[in-house]
Structure formats: C-alpha cells, structure tokens
Amino acid sequence: MGGDATTGFRAWLPLIIVSGAVLTAALDHTVVVTVLPEVMPDLKVPPTELDRAAWIITGYLLGFTAAIPLTARLADVHGHALLFRVSLLIFALGSLGAAMAPNLEFLIAARVVQALGGGATIPVGMAMAVHAFPGTRRAVAVGIIGACAEAGMVLGPLYGGVITNLWGWRWVFWLDIPQALILIWALRGFPVAGLPGVRMDWAGGALMVLGLTMLVIATAQETAFDAASPWPYALGGAGAIVVGLLVWVEGRARHPLLPPSFFQSRQALLALVVKLLMGASLIMAMVTVPLMANTVLAQSPLEGGLRLMRMTGAMPLGAIVGGFLAYRLGERAVTVAGLAIGAVGLFYMSGWTIDIADPSMSLHLALAGFGFGLVIAPVFVTAMDATTADYQATSASLVTTARMIGMTFGMAALAAWGVGEFEAATQGLALPLPSPDLSNAEYEAQLEVYTSSVSDASIDLFQDFFRISGVLLLAALLPALGLGGRRAMEDRESRSASGPSA
C-alpha cells in the first residue's frame, strides 16, 4: 500500500464504502425469511396460498441471478462507480415500492426491482476493490467484500426479526432507503472511467437474461427429479437453446457481453465448477440444520436459526482469512483446504443423532462454515484474473451466478429426493389409532414404536443430506486442483505490472 496516512486512508475508503453497500444489499437477500409470517396476513394472503407468497423470495432470487451479468457488464463499459451508484438507486426504488406495497403482486414486483439493483453490488464492488487494491493484495480486498456479503445473508433473518418486532415489517424496507442514499452520496467523488468506444451488447444481454431465467426456473422445479411433469425438461431445453444462441451471437459481436478470454481459460471454467458444486452443497446444509432441529430434535424455530448461525456465522471469518492466505499461498492451496475442512465438518454432522449437543455440535457447524468461507476469495480472484481489466465485474458476476444456480439446483434436488426417500423409509408404517380393542397402555406402546420409527427414518435422511453435502465438496476438489498456485499468482502479477495500467 505505502504512502502517508492520508494516502492509506484514501486507498481503504472505496473498500469501506463498497463493503457497506454489499452488506446492506445482502441483508435483503434473506431478511424476508422472518418477515414473511407478518407480510401474509397484512397483505391478506391466507396460509393456504404459501406457494404464492414464496414468490417474494423466489422473485428476488430470479432477479438477482438473471440480471447480475448484464448489470456487471454495464459497469465495465460505463464505469464501476457510476453503475454502483445507479444500482444503489434502483435498490432504493425497489425498497420504496416494497415498503408501500398494497398487495402481494406489487411486493413481488418491488422485490425483483430490489434484486436488479442489489444483485449488482457484489460483482461491481469486487471489481472496484480490485482496482483500488492492485496486485496480490486484491485477494484480501475480495475476501473482505465476500465476508460482508456472507455476513449480510447470515444477519438478514435476525435483522428482519428485530425491525419487525419494533416497528413492523414495512420498516425493514423503509430503512434501506436512507442507507442507500448515504452510500450514493459517499461515492460522489469517485472517478467514473468507462471504456471509450465500447458499446453495450444488448442482444447478448437480452439472451443472457432470458436463458438464465429459463434455466433457473427449470432447475427450481422438484418435478425435474421424479419425471412427474415434462414442464421442467421443456423449459430447461428451451433455456439451453437460448444459451446456444447466445454463444453464436457472442462469437460475432464486436464488443461481446461475456469475456472471450474467460471461456478460453481453463482455470476460470474450473472456478465456476467449484462454485456450482459449493452452492449446491451449501444450500443442502443450510436447509438441513434448522429442519433437523425443528423436527426430530423438537427445538423451536429460534433454536434452529441459532444453530444455523453457528455455521453461517463462521463463513465471513473464513472469507477474510481465505483472502489473506490466498495472497500468501495461492488460490489452489486455500481452495483445496477450504473444501476439505468444510467436508470434514459436514461428515461429522452426518453422524449426528438425537443426542447431539455442545461442544461437538458447535464445533462441527463452525468447521463446515469456516471451510465454505475459505473458498470465497480464491475462487473469485481466479475468475477475475482470467480476463482483462475491461471485464472484471462481468467475470465476478459469472462466479456469483454459478453459485446461485448451484443453490437452486441443490434445493430442488433436496426437496424431490428427500420426499421420495422419506416415503420409502416410512412405507408400511401405519399411525396407530385408539380402539376399543386396545388398552391405553397398548395404544401408547404402539404410538411410541411408530414415533420412534419415524424419528429414526428422519435421522437417517438428515444424515444422508449432510453426507451428500460433504460428497459435493469432495467432488469440487477435483476442479480445485487445477487452480493456480502461488507461482501462477506471481506470474499474473508480473504480467499485470509490466502491462498497461487498468
């Protein structure tokens, strides 16, 4: 870094502001989890229409996943600081709509607008950090921003619960507005340097949004795993055709939406595979921890959430440590270590029984979360280093998209496969009913046998969930071994220093 105190502070200032914006946007990614029970009666949505209300979450996910590559490329073309401010403004407008929503449909639309703005903050913010911290220290900056993104998602449910209890669910969105405006003001003096003479590839952008939207919706369908409906296959096939058309269009575009060098880089493609598998593993573990606590362990929803936070709370710490270690050891070593540590934690969790308790439980959860966190910075840095400075935000957005698709696919697979396995495990079990032919003692004994059998089947299923989650991390080790080591980092840094300034 070097320089006097003022120079040092000016170097850190972009990272501080960007980290605050990423944290604010990330809170809204999961905040709805705790406010949904308050939203439904207020907007006159009955409990029987939970599937409709779930679009408050799904709509955000779709907007987040489909739009970030487009907005990230706009940032590369027109300037990162400018698009970061525009993204925050869009996020504030979406928050205003959500706070004033008169009905469910309006709230869903407002959440999509929120996602369009909030989703861009992570890849664009990482690109800004890379430019503010050139050289090998960029891994540290990327790790800090990744930690803020993870911390926001971890704290979202707790933040939403506190605000809702104090002032009501609408204030969760009202408070987003002043936060976004303050951050926009703080960024007013940042240079806006775009790419002179470069045009935005709108045809490629439209195909990208359409193709990703179709693929995300297709992979989110549980029926894709039991062949109960042709709809997911048809939609997924159509999405694949659109992606194929995108590749054809991009090959002829003068200024393509996607970085050509990215898809020619073996390491960048391996990084996407790592992130895809990691996303599927993460969502399976995140769903299973509270589900197991709330069912067979008979714990309250609060206790289930607190148990999950022991895992997700370790992820920001892992992200920061991963950034510092990647700077010193190289991306491959840190990624492999993170995947291995996460897998060890998950395999310990696959041995949980109804008697699981602290300190073992917290240690296993923290181990898994820390491992997930370690992987964040090196994977992002690998992808961003695979392309030129004019595609930094776009490259970071592709990593985020890979994770979101992996999470969507993992969630759908978990639901479809889990239901089938549970039904198979409990087949032949009949719930005993009181009968004149049974004494109270006999009925209680039969009921205890039934309850115990269902509990055993559930425990076995949850153990399988954790085991599969661990196997996915082990599978990610194979592409991780192809990532660059310390020498590769030094070679890239040497080339960057001898080339033109970004």
Side-chain angles (χ1 to χ4, degrees):
M1 300 285 292
D4 57 24
T6 303
T7 303
F9 176 75
R10 288 177 64 85
W12 279 98
L13 186 59
L15 184 62
I16 294 169
I17 297 173
V18 168
S19 297
V22 168
L23 178 64
T24 298
L27 285 171
D28 275 72
H29 197 76
T30 54
V31 72
V32 178
V33 172
T34 47
V35 306
L36 195 59
E38 301 292 330
V39 170
M40 291 177 65
D42 191 33
L43 298 183
K44 298 179 173 56
V45 180
T48 54
E49 296 182 9
L50 180 60
D51 56 333
R52 284 181 59 225
W55 274 96
I56 299 173
I57 301 172
T58 306
Y60 193 93
L61 175 64
L62 282 174
F64 191 97
T65 305
I68 54 174
L70 178 61
T71 52
R73 181 55 184 158
L74 282 168
D76 283 329
V77 171
H78 296 290
H80 298 139
L82 173 62
L83 258 294
F84 202 86
R85 294 200 296 270
V86 171
S87 296
L88 287 172
L89 181 60
I90 293 172
F91 177 76
L93 291 174
S95 300
L96 176 64
M100 299 176 64
N103 53 52
L104 178 63
E105 290 71 24
F106 195 98
L107 178 57
I108 293 171
R111 287 282 291 169
V112 172
V113 174
Q114 265 196 316
L116 297 178
T121 59
I122 297 175
V124 179
M126 287 189 171
M128 292 176 67
V130 164
H131 286 293
F133 287 77
T136 49
R137 282 186 172 84
R138 63 189 177 275
V140 178
V142 168
I144 291 172
I145 292 179
C148 289
E150 297 300 331
M153 294 184 189
V154 170
L155 296 174
L158 180 62
Y159 172 78
V162 171
I163 299 301
T164 301
N165 286 338
L166 291 175
W167 302 306
W169 69 268
R170 293 182 186 272
W171 275 98
V172 169
F173 302 111
W174 281 121
L175 291 176
D176 287 335
I177 300 171
Q179 294 176 54
L181 294 178
I182 290 171
L183 290 164
I184 291 171
W185 175 83
L187 286 163
R188 73 194 186 285
F190 282 67
V192 179
L195 300 174
V198 176
R199 293 179 177 271
M200 181 65 193
D201 178 16
W202 289 108
L207 290 172
M208 168 71 82
V209 171
L210 178 61
L212 281 176
T213 299
M214 297 171 86
L215 290 175
V216 168
I217 294 177
T219 54
Q221 306 300 310
E222 295 177 20
T223 52
F225 300 89
D226 57 16
S229 169
W231 161 248
Y233 306 107
L235 188 61
I241 292 173
V242 172
V243 171
L245 181 59
L246 170 66
V247 173
W248 183 83
V249 168
E250 291 295 279
R252 288 155 179 77
R254 183 179 178 185
H255 304 293
L257 173 76
L258 301 176
S261 58
F262 187 95
F263 295 99
Q264 296 167 3
S265 168
R266 175 173 166 269
Q267 289 195 19
L269 296 177
L270 291 174
L272 290 187
V273 176
V274 170
K275 205 64 174 179
L276 188 77
L277 293 169
M278 179 180 158
S281 173
L282 177 61
I283 194 63
M284 293 184 78
M286 287 181 67
V287 170
T288 304
V289 169
L291 189 61
M292 183 176 181
N294 300 157
T295 54
V296 294
L297 300 182
Q299 300 290 338
S300 67
L302 176 61
E303 175 60 26
L306 291 175
R307 290 192 179 200
L308 179 60
M309 285 188 68
R310 298 175 200 182
M311 182 182 81
T312 54
M315 290 175 64
L317 175 61
I320 295 174
V321 173
F324 278 98
L325 291 180
Y327 164 52
R328 290 167 173 78
L329 305 177
E331 295 102 343
R332 180 175 57 218
V334 179
T335 303
V336 168
L339 294 171
I341 291 171
V344 169
L346 290 167
F347 283 127
Y348 272 125
M349 290 158 65
S350 71
W352 282 3
T353 65
I354 200 169
D355 300 319
I356 185 64
D358 281 324
S360 297
M361 180 181 64
S362 293
L363 178 61
H364 300 165
L365 288 165
L367 200 62
F370 186 76
F372 278 118
L374 278 177
V375 179
I376 293 172
V379 170
F380 268 109
V381 169
T382 298
M384 296 172 76
D385 279 349
T387 189
T388 53
D390 54 338
Y391 278 100
Q392 292 282 280
T394 307
S395 298
S397 75
L398 293 175
V399 177
T400 305
T401 301
R403 169 178 166 168
M404 300 306 293
I405 292 177
M407 293 180 75
T408 304
F409 187 82
M411 185 66 212
L414 181 71
W417 178 79
V419 169
E421 286 295 302
F422 184 76
E423 289 177 348
T426 56
Q427 190 175 16
L429 293 177
L431 176 65
L433 299 173
S435 168
D437 299 330
L438 293 175
S439 66
N440 286 338
E442 290 173 328
Y443 169 71
E444 292 294 336
Q446 291 184 10
L447 183 61
E448 183 177 350
V449 170
Y450 172 82
T451 303
S452 177
S453 299
V454 171
S455 177
D456 290 343
S458 300
I459 287 286
D460 290 342
L461 186 62
F462 294 140
Q463 290 176 339
D464 285 342
F465 287 167
F466 288 132
R467 194 171 294 116
I468 292 171
S469 186
V471 168
L472 287 170
L473 288 190
L474 291 182
L477 282 172
L478 186 60
L481 289 172
L483 301 182
R486 175 66 185 172
R487 184 179 298 275
M489 285 187 68
E490 292 172 347
D491 290 343
R492 289 198 305 271
E493 176 58 23
S494 177
R495 290 196 299 271
S496 176
S498 62
S501 175

